[in-house]
Structure formats: structure tokens, C-alpha cells
Amino acid sequence: MNAPLIDPFARVISYLRLSVTDRCDFRCVYCMSENMTFLPKKELLTLEELDRMCSTFIDMGVKKLRITGGEPLVRRDILKFFNGMSRHLESGALEELTLTTNGSQLEKYAADLFAAGVRRINISLDTLDEKKFADITRWGRLPQVLRGIEAAQAVGLKVKINAVALKGFNEDELFTLTNWCAERQMDLTFIEVMPMGDLGNEDRFGQYWSLKDLRAELATQFTLTDLPDRTGGPARYVKINETGQRIGFITPLSHNFCESCNRVRITCTGEIYTCLGQEGHADLRGPLRQSESNEPLENAIRAAIMDKPKGHDFDYSRQKVDGQVSRHMSHTGG
């Protein structure tokens, strides 16, 4: 079972994004509804099962592991899991252990994450305006997140900011966000809003701000140089010559990024989604619990990888939302 994970389109799967919880202490409008019904805790994989799931993927060639949620740091005793994964970093089997977070718990956990081997984190931050931040997150407090960012940088974590581009919301903060990140030596990635979740509550098409337009606006004040950097992920990068910082663009709508996809996602209940923008998934919790041997799980993983689609179907081109998927982003893992 040591053969690499290769999908039907000859893409090597080396990157696992694992959601450890669907719960979050924010209610960001593009991610979940305000009155969410979360999964019963008994349906979630235990910390021991999460460890075994990840370790199996690592044995099968996964080199990068990103922990997501919900908000991963609200999961009880989650540091036990990070500390467990550190053994794979020490052995060299795992090259990178990272997480995506809203930053609310970083003031508390930054030092422990660094001690567990985390060196790089992504923080979701769409605005530097305290009132707008409260509006977009519904429950969030900007000063708490800013303290978390300071704590992360203080212990040596490299921070990248992820900002969802939202028409009529943060268009006027494009240069404010960019300069703020540059002053703190943080890279910045902009993300187009994706048609996921209950669209009865939020107008995704009305929120859509094409990153082609965003980039053109950025170029009115800065000199942008395209970079060849590829992480196997969706981002395309430019360098701002005036600041030296790297800016990423994740464009699931205006530019399909599927040709280099090297990742799969596991939900906190053990479902594997081989594409963020498709409904197709398979159960890994059953095979995980079926036997103390990992063979049923390994067979299920390989079968799921062979069903990985060529790409997603997100589309706004006809002035309406196409390719919508019904699950919230927090279910799959950001």
C-alpha cells in the first residue's frame, strides 16, 4: 500500500485538509447561517481517530496537512492532536503541519502550536473596520483577532491573511488591507466568494467581486509582477514591487484552478470530499472503525481518489449562481 495516491487525471495527492470540528465561535455570512445546527459530538471522529486517519494518509504519501474547521481551535483538547502529529514532522514523513483559523484563539494557543511544529498559519480576516468585522462575522471581535495575530508573530509563526473579496463590503479597503499586511510582513491572499450553503439567507451573486477586477484596481497604485510560485493549491501569486510582499488570488469563478489540484478534504465525521465544488463524497469513518487493521481504510481511500473529478462546476457567468453545493463551507472545512 506504499504506492502514491494518484487520481484518474494523473494528479498526485499529497495534501490533506482535515476539518476537526464543524463548530465555530463566529458566524461569517459567506460560511454559515447565524442559527446553525451543529453535529452531535458523538458523530465526530475522536482525537484518536483523527490521528489514525491522518497517519494513514501520511503513510500513503501525504506530505502537507492543514487543519481546518469550523474553527479548529475551539475543539476540546485539540492540542493533543497537534502534539501527536508532531511525530510525523520529526520523522520527516510529514513536511508541513499548518492550520487555517479565524484568529480568535491564537492569543491563547500560538506558543503551543509553535511547540508542536506548526510554522505557518492562515488567518481569515476580511476587514480592519471593527464595526464591519462584527457585521461580517456576526459574533466576532476584531481586537481579539488582532491580539491573536500579534501573539502568533511574536512566537515565530509566519502569518498569511486570507480575505474574501466581497462587493460593496471591503472594496474600499483593498489598499488599506494590502498596506497593513505589508507593514507587518504578512502575505495576503484574496478569495472569490463561492456558492456554498444556504443561499436563501445570503446573496452570493450579489457578493461576488471578480478578482480580475480587484487585481486591475490594485495595479492602479502598485507594480505587480507575476510569480511562478505554485503550491499545488488554487492560488496564483504576484509580487508587489513597492512592498516586496506576495499577493495571492484564489479564483474558483473567474479562473478555474483545478488542473493542478493535489488535495482532498476530510470532514470531522470522516467523509472524504475529493472536490470542494462537487457533492460527491465517500465515507471513511466506517472503514476506519471496521477493523484495527488499516487495510479497509486504505482501500476506501484509494477508491475515493479514483472517483476524484476533473474539476468543479462553480459558475456565475450567466448572472446567476450555477454549480452551487448545498453544504456549508464549515461542513467540508475551509
Side-chain angles (χ1 to χ4, degrees), residues 166-168 193 202-209 316 321:
L166 295 164
K167 183 186 292 185
V193 66
E202 305 298 340
D203 175 17
R204 294 295 193 276
F205 180 71
Q207 295 171 334
Y208 172 56
W209 177 16
Y316 288 157
V321 177

Side-chain angles (χ1 to χ4, degrees), residues 123-307:
I123 299 176
S124 302
L125 181 65
D126 306 318
T127 176
L128 293 169
D129 182 287
E130 193 166 344
K131 182 183 183 304
K132 285 165 66 175
F133 185 87
D135 289 341
I136 196 77
T137 64
R138 296 193 180 105
W139 293 9
R141 298 182 298 280
L142 181 60
Q144 181 181 4
V145 173
L146 296 182
R147 291 195 304 271
I149 292 172
E150 290 177 3
Q153 290 193 303
V155 300
L157 289 169
K158 183 175 176 59
V159 174
K160 179 169 74 71
I161 299 298
N162 287 341
V164 177
L166 295 164
K167 183 186 292 185
F169 178 77
N170 56 9
E171 285 173 290
D172 60 343
E173 292 188 77
L174 173 60
F175 296 104
T176 303
L177 271 169
T178 302
N179 288 321
W180 182 81
C181 287
E183 290 166 3
R184 288 157 182 79
Q185 298 183 310
M186 296 186 295
D187 288 341
L188 171 62
T189 291
F190 291 102
I191 306 170
E192 289 176 339
V193 66
M194 287 176 261
M196 300 187 70
D198 180 6
L199 297 184
N201 291 333
E202 305 298 340
D203 175 17
R204 294 295 193 276
F205 180 71
Q207 295 171 334
Y208 172 56
W209 177 16
S210 168
L211 293 194
K212 181 179 179 181
D213 296 338
L214 183 153
R215 175 175 171 156
E217 179 67 18
L218 203 60
T220 64
Q221 290 193 25
F222 294 120
T223 306
L224 308 182
T225 300
D226 287 309
L227 295 174
D229 304 21
R230 290 290 183 270
T231 62
R236 300 297 190 272
Y237 297 98
V238 300
K239 178 182 178 181
I240 295 184
N241 292 358
E242 289 81 356
T243 66
Q245 74 195 116
R246 190 171 72 160
I247 303 291
F249 303 98
I250 295 181
T251 54
L253 286 306
S254 62
H255 179 271
N256 184 297
F257 49 65
C258 303
E259 69 278 357
S260 62
C261 182
N262 66 345
R263 68 198 54 203
V264 294
R265 288 171 166 82
I266 306 291
T267 72
C268 53
T269 58
E271 297 169 309
I272 180 171
Y273 283 85
T274 54
C275 178
L276 180 63
Q278 300 277 6
E279 297 282 11
H281 62 279
D283 171 53
L284 297 182
R285 184 175 60 183
L288 177 70
R289 294 177 175 175
Q290 176 182 332
S291 168
E292 292 184 4
S293 165
N294 285 337
E295 186 173 351
L297 176 60
E298 292 169 343
N299 289 335
I301 290 170
R302 293 196 182 278
I305 297 300
M306 291 310 298
D307 283 336

